[in-house]
Amino acid sequence: MCGIIGYIGNNVEQKLLKGLEKLEYRGYDSAGLCVLRHGNFYVEKSKGSVEKLREKTCVKSEFGLGIAHTRWATHGKITIENAHPHFSSKGEVALVHNGIIENFEELKSALEEKGVYFYGETDSEVAAKLLSGRLSLKKIQNLVKKIKGTYAFAIISKKNNSIYFAKNKSPLYVAIGKDCSMIASDPSCFVGACDSFYPVDDGEYGKLDLKKVVFIDKHDKVVLKKSKKLDIDYFVDGKNGYEHFMLKEIYESKNVLGNIIQNYSSPLYKKLLEKVTEIDFNRVYFVGCGTAYHAGLIGQRYFMNNIKKDVFCERASEFSYQNRILDQKSLCVFISQSGETIDTIASLDYAKRCGAKIVSITNVSYSTIACKADINLPIFAGPEIAVASTKAFVGQCAVLFLLSKVLSGQNYIDDLVSLKEDLDFGDDEKLKRFAKKLASEDKVLFIGRGFDYITSLEASLKLKEISYINSIVEPSGELKHGPIALVEEGTILVVLATESELFIKTINNAYETKSRGAKLCLVTNQIVTETIQKEFDYVFKVKNTTSELMPVQTIVLLQKLAYYVAVTKKTNPDKPRNLAKSVTVE
Ligand code: M6R
């Protein structure tokens, strides 16, 4: 988490602020910038959004060099002191950092013993305090040798006209434009200024000047790199008339399905899917975090339905701590929208060390996970800006569906075509009415069986992350084994029941809560009889599609429900409290 940017060129403050706005998805606890002009630093910091920093910043349309940062707090409270950039003891070196310095306490104590004063509580300040005076590649080399942990640094000094940098396990990219040079956590910052970019690799450090960059690898050798073309179309941004990115992105699910159908019908991507069939494996692990983990659970069901192998699904944050069979005969599928989630990267590295074959399903083709995988299957969702993942989940499920079908030798595209045509986002007025009711609740229970249980997990995550309602999920059949004790007069129970064989069982489980005072909401594609209609306070009918794709059909409606609850509660669905889009700390 945290976003960093550095810029050398005209309109430096404006460019830094614009870059920070693009990076704000990485954290929005505080923001700050430092610009070097005529040998002096101009510094501004603010708590909260980049907009607040913009209000304070004196924007000059002059040439200059600067660094900036948007923070997701890890060490130390959300204060101006802890906001980046951080400074050396004499204030002549400024540094921005994304990552965690694991040995910061040890380094800090040693510095304090020497009389160094710390104004804040962050691990990052320690790195700044290890620097002084005129910067050089040697000093950066010494710095990274002392530091253990993850970092992307951009560093400037009053005594140099360069931006120095270093990277380990936190994303960092460099770009050279016609009349500027840039460094950032995400290449989206380069749009409009540069046509290509260089990914900085782990262990590398270097120096950026106007239109020139030097990369040094972990063996202290100069590296010559090939630049990658910046895919401008990918970075088209803006809310397109929607009030929030989240709503826009929910509706973009249809395009995502369209992109997947189109691309995976082409020889190039068909071949990529077929490459997976050439892998010799007897067991499969799906690994991801949050929404990507839920997509993995869906993938697990697809594989269990279509392939006769052992299939597991695990959270990336737990994956490397379990003893299990993981070897050359294991296929590991890592799912990540950003491709930068650190727990997922760590699990991928672990699986690689064990000899497993690695497939990734990502939305960012230049991301760390996509680059580390043996085969990367893109989801073609375009940038997902809202913190709550929506269209990416749809893309992940669709690609997993394709993969399971290809592996079992079945024709796969037609089902997705029908899903795309029938994708139903629900009746807005009805959703808003139910959202109003939910917005006044402290807790809500979701139940479902089979695929519906997994869809409930995802729907509940959406609701809790953007509306802060305590949302609990249980498989329908588990209620009686404990959770039903939570039901009291007026408790809202959202019942997902889209599988015909399981429908009546789930409806009966709902009735058991109704007789204990619950208010019931049903989401189904099945026939709703008059009796059922009478028992349920809210009924949402969703269109039918092939049963394996019902989670996609159902989730878009429930994503919208969560969105309307957040809007009713006046919480910002795009930037929920305490969260960041890209989770790059363990
Ligand atoms: O970029 P990733 O897909 O690896 O991110 C994984 C999770 O952090 C992410 O899905 C998170 O749970 C979302 N906020 C959910 O909406």
Side-chain angles (χ1 to χ4, degrees), residues 282-295:
N282 55 18
R283 118 180 23 87
V284 186
Y285 293 96
F286 290 101
V287 185
C289 296
T291 291
Y293 165 69
H294 295 154

Side-chain angles (χ1 to χ4, degrees), residues 288-293 335-342 344 361 369 384 386-390 392 396 458 461-462 465 576 579-583:
C289 296
T291 291
Y293 165 69
I335 307 167
S336 173
Q337 186 283 131
S338 62
E340 297 296 348
T341 300
I342 199 151
T344 314
I361 296 180
I369 291 175
E384 195 181 61
V387 165
S389 191
T390 53
Q396 289 159 351
E458 178 54 14
L461 175 63
K462 286 297 86 93
E465 74 180 325
L579 296 176
K581 182 77 180 159
S582 187
V583 183

Side-chain angles (χ1 to χ4, degrees), residues 105-137:
E105 280 177 345
E106 186 188 316
L107 293 169
K108 190 171 178 178
S109 312
L111 286 164
E112 279 174 333
E113 266 171 37
K114 287 186 193 158
V116 174
Y117 166 74
F118 283 81
Y119 51 75
E121 304 144 309
T122 66
D123 53 330
S124 312
E125 192 188 338
V126 173
K129 293 292 189 286
L130 289 167
L131 293 164
S132 62
R134 191 177 170 76
L135 293 173
S136 62
L137 285 167

Side-chain angles (χ1 to χ4, degrees), residues 316-336:
S317 54
E318 290 292 313
F319 187 63
S320 43
Y321 307 131
Q322 320 288 334
N323 281 325
R324 67 165 67 67
I325 303 171
L326 191 58
D327 56 18
Q328 293 89 331
K329 283 291 188 83
S330 308
L331 168 66
C332 290
V333 182
F334 292 92
I335 307 167
S336 173

